[in-house]
Amino acid sequence: MAHWTTFEKETERETKRLVACISGLEDEEDQNFQLALKFAWSNFRFHRFLDVDSHKVQRSISGIYEKLMVHSDVVKAESWTTLTEEFLNSPLPNTDGVKSDAHYSLVSLLLFLSESPLHTNFIERPRIKEAEAKDDFDWAKYLREDEDIDDGPYPDTPEWSEEESEDEDSQQPISREDSGIQLDRTPQEDQDNNNKTVPVTWTVGEPGARVWLEQNVVTPYWVTHAPRFPHSLHLHSNLLNVWDQHLYNTDPLYLPEEKAFVTETQVIRETLWLLSGVKKHFIFQHHDGKVIVRNNVVVTHLTSNCLRSVLEHIAVYGQAVFRLQRFIDEVTGYSSEPCPPSSGSSHGSKKASEPPFRTYQAFVWALNKYFTSFKEELTTIEREIICNDETVTLSAVLERLHPYLVQIKVLHKVFCTGVAEVPHETPNVVRASHLLNTLYKAIIEYDSVGEASEQAVALLFSLWTETVRPYLEIVDEWIFYGHLFDPAKEFIIQRNKDVPVNHRDFWYATYTLYSVSETADGQEKLSDAASGSSGGDPGSGSKQLTMVSFLKPVLKQIIMAGKSMQLLKNLDRTQREPTEKSCRDAERKSLYTLFLESVQSRLCSQEDSPAEGVTEQQATRRSLIKMQSIIKQHLQIEDVHDPLLAINFARLYLEQSDFHERFSGGDFIVDRSSQAVTCQTFELTLRSCLYPHIQRRYIECCGNLMQTLKKDYKLLEYLQAMRNYFLLEAGDTMYDFYTSIFEKAQEKECWQQLSFLNVQLQEAVGQRHPEDSSRLSIFLENMDPARKKHPVNNLEVLTLCYKVPWPVDIVISSECQKIYNQVFLLLLQIKWAKYSLDKLRFSDFEDVSKKQEGAACAEVKVKDSRNQQIHRMCLLRVKLMHFVNSLHNYIMTRILHSTGLEFQHQVQEAKDLDQLIKIHYRYLATIHDRCLLREKVSFVKEAIMKVLNLVLIFSDRWQAGFGAWKIESIDKMESDFKNCHMFLVTILNKAVCRGSFPHCK
């Protein structure tokens, strides 16, 4: 029974009592008792009882009443009807309303338990009602809180006198509205309200009762024609009258106006109410979102202009409090109160059903925390006024509230710039980033002032740390769990849900980086930055594009860590043990918590805690004087005599512990670009307290992803396979493939058959690399008929394809394979020319020489010319072979091999996937450029292609035999080769001298 609840234990106890009462069995160990107990428990637990039917109960009540009347039990019948009706109409604990199901259930239970209501003797017992509790609340003390009235020697309620017996003294009507200070009303409204006032008769037996009541109730100074309060006749207490008399005597057109007299205490209390957010006042009025001062309010000891200038100064802060409080109410209550159209409020124009985004909620939470402490201070001042232990003046209150008023001014300025001035149709991402930027810039601005704005910097920093919490939580969720949770779309990076994680374009098109374009007129426009792999540098393209300033230094790391973590979560790899992972997550602190702890440790490390505050102050002063003398000496060396400059420099460098040692030494060198000289402590705080945590997570996430891709998904093997097949590094394998094509072409057979090409490719690859045979395939593309007239261009119909699995296809994309194919085709064309020249043999001319030896002498001249032609053909072959071999060796060794070694080294040192993608693209761009495949140097490639085409023509004529070509064709081939050779030499020499082709040196 240790696991039973209290209810079950009580039910067990009551069930045993029920069984003992009905069965008469007292021994709980008895078998019959246990059977009865189990039967009762079974019914309680498993039996379903129908709800009570109120109509049946009502019919039973009526039936009993009729039976009692039939049996002439009139008294019992009336008692029965009265008691049941009273019970059904009486409230029950924890039950709403009367005549409920609980009422009828109890009546039904009583009816079931009753044996025979007709044969029961019943006498209704009289019930004594409980006397009403006496109200001991001291209403006098409550009502007199607003006034400073001397209670005299008898502060308690005065004794009532019985000497007066006049009716007019004993019955005096007192009429008032018991609602405190009311809003301004028109005279017609006042007349209507006066007509509705219910006169309350005050009946007393003593004449002093009315006097005591008038002394202990606040004079209604907010009503028209309020009675004047008594005050001193001293000159200083009647300055208003003296000034009015002076104006009346000096100005013949002066007309005294009707005035509403208030005391300074009342002005102070309404000032406190205004600053605490109360909207109904007498002295201050709210009109179209602005706080104005009533014109006719005066005090006796100040002139009206003096009082008005002070109150208008207070009204400015009251309006700031009102706007901030209204923003807090709108965010916390979803715009429950309508805003005036001219208030300029943009945050309240959203639909009431749409909650504000989390950045605004955090900002409001920070404002609310500040106003809570501010209102506590106002409450303390008001309590001191009520206690009346010492004199409290308006100037003293304003002097005491001066630090708070300065802070309110700062908060209102930040609110106007960061919230109120943003148009209501602006997206949440712009609102959030603009608010955080405003706070960030305000901290930097006030921090640059120095000691004069320490309180403002402290307030803004605490406000910023609270407001930035949603952003840091979004970053934390993304870089630690791979989930970008941003339902309100307030983060500057947003997920494109149309692209799944396992898509090949995940790394490029999954996230969109938003930036804000700040124009000259202060408006802001939203633009999408390039949603590439790294998001780019948002500030490098244009100075007009800004975003959340504090994230700029680590924005790339955040994007890389977030995408890497999301990719890791979706990879099919061996996961850690669930218990280990859950324990690690339970012990892990959030990014926001780590940031706060780092800030706290940084602040604590900078603070010195001596035994006494005076000692610290003296030490600081001593250090300042010493530092000032040192700097003054160095300034005199530069012939600069400015003591104020020396003091400022001393304050600037005083916080550096090692500055005195370095500065007082012989060699003095100041690095103007160092962080210490900038004196931007807030930026240094971010650099030391926030960025290292993000940097560590970036290194961890990206390192795990790179390790997983290299180890589990064989990224390096796939990169090597691309070089093996497309760049022909697997020479023996690809030699078997392309030689079969060249042989068909040399024999003038059709080789452009898809089945033939794929069979040859599979046979070549399957012998040495069977794991890649299923991934490699070749396709035929359509070619422009005009390009078919050159034999070397016939290879351009080939397209080699290598199927790369996900996620390796993020690195080896289809665009990369297009570049690989261009290099592959160029290499095939060079290989074809080299193969054609290598297949030519001098033995092809031996038959011609033997025939010429048996000829007659008349044919000697013809024989000489033929030998000369053969010799020229052989020389041309050597020249062409030298050109092709040089080109082949240069591309295969100087370009592909050396660049490939460089690429492999860079891949091993890549820290993240984005860096690896850039390295791969840079590698492809390098070999694409150095192989002269760019459009800019296409004329150089055309010259090379012309030579390669010449090689194929030369090979065909060589194989055709001596009589198949003429001497003119040899002349033309020699001329074409010479022209192309001279053109290439000239162009390449100029390019090398100009530095365009450094790899050609």
Side-chain angles (χ1 to χ4, degrees), residues 419-439:
V419 178
E421 294 179 359
V422 181
H424 65 276
E425 68 276 2
T426 307
N428 290 341
V429 59
V430 180
R431 292 184 170 200
S433 60
H434 181 67
L435 176 58
L436 292 174
N437 278 341
T438 302
L439 288 171

Side-chain angles (χ1 to χ4, degrees), residues 136-156:
D136 296 330
F137 186 82
D138 191 359
W139 289 99
K141 185 177 180 180
Y142 174 75
L143 294 174
R144 62 182 289 189
E145 286 181 354
D146 299 337
E147 285 295 325
D148 301 332
I149 298 178
D150 189 7
D151 294 330
Y154 305 100
D156 299 329

